[in-house]
């Protein structure tokens, strides 16, 4: 799925906080956004493995949620929402396509790595690939309640993320070719630092 979809889903996880404890909601929205994006910081270092933990993140998020219920504060609620968003990111990556440069070809059987099971989870392809029309629909579905229910900055951020999503969907397939060409232009000494999927390996 698109990073923007993960970010919007993470922010949507803060909506119950807005309803129950509105004074804690600003931190929860920021934590949801950060937690939704954070796993993809491994994009160039073992993508969907280094920072993706579909099982362990879910367990940690559950503990953090319990702590937030028992001891509600800005810190505990933000931690719970952020960790839940990161866990949801890892889990929903399995619902999408594989790791290949052109996931619409369905060549890869690697969606996300489960450290608990010590193996790759296969892609379900319910969202065929990042940037697919159904990915945009999911992003829009997450953005809608944020725009309707949340205040100005949150609604504005949701609309901005949705706009970026729409542009990415339009450019997704041509971007694969651009990435491949750019990877070929990288000096030979830097090739080991270019992800395999960009090198056509």
């Amino acid at each position: 799925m698109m990073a923007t979809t993960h970010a919007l889903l993470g922010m949507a996880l803060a909506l119950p906080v807005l309803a129950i404890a509105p004074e804690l909601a600003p931190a929860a929205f920021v934590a949801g956004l950060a937690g939704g994006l954070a796993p993809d910081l491994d994009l160039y270092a073992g993508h969907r493995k280094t920072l993706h933990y579909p099982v362990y993140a879910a367990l940690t998020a559950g503990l953090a949620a319990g702590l937030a219920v028992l001891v509600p504060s800005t810190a505990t609620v933000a931690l719970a929402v952020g960790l839940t968003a990161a866990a949801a990111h890892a889990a929903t990556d399995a619902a999408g396509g594989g790791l290949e440069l052109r996931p619409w070809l369905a060549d890869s059987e690697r969606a996300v790595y489960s450290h608990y099971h010590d193996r790759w989870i296969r892609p379900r392809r319910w969202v065929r690939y990042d940037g697919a029309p159904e990915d945009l629909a999911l992003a829009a579905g997450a953005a809608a309640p944020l725009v309707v229910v949340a205040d100005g900055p949150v609604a504005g951020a949701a609309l901005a993320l949705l706009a970026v999503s729409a542009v990415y969907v339009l450019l997704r397939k041509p971007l694969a070719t651009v990435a491949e060409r750019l990877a070929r232009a990288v000096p030979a000494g830097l090739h080991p630092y270019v992800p395999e999927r960009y090198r056509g390996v």
Side-chain angles (χ1 to χ4, degrees), residues 6-149:
H6 290 304
L8 286 163
L9 289 171
M11 290 174 69
L13 290 171
L15 287 170
V17 178
L18 181 63
I20 297 166
E23 70 280 6
L24 302 177
F29 282 120
V30 171
L33 173 67
L37 291 173
D40 276 345
L41 292 175
D42 69 8
L43 188 62
Y44 295 100
H47 187 41
R48 293 194 189 172
K49 181 176 183 181
T50 306
L51 296 177
H52 287 60
Y53 292 87
V55 176
Y56 292 127
L59 293 173
T60 306
L63 292 172
L67 179 63
V69 169
L70 293 172
V71 188
S73 70
T74 300
T76 59
V77 168
L79 181 66
V81 172
L83 288 174
T84 302
H89 179 135
T92 55
D93 270 344
L99 275 172
E100 65 268 50
L101 182 60
R102 295 175 176 85
W104 50 88
L105 299 178
D107 292 332
S108 173
E109 286 304 308
R110 292 181 169 193
V112 65
Y113 192 80
S114 170
H115 295 268
Y116 176 79
H117 297 99
D118 195 26
R119 64 174 173 81
W120 285 90
I121 297 170
R122 68 175 183 80
R124 301 301 194 268
R125 297 188 174 92
W126 298 330
V127 173
R128 292 169 296 153
Y129 57 90
D130 61 297
E134 57 268 28
D135 196 355
L136 182 59
L138 190 57
L146 292 167
V147 171
V148 172
V149 175

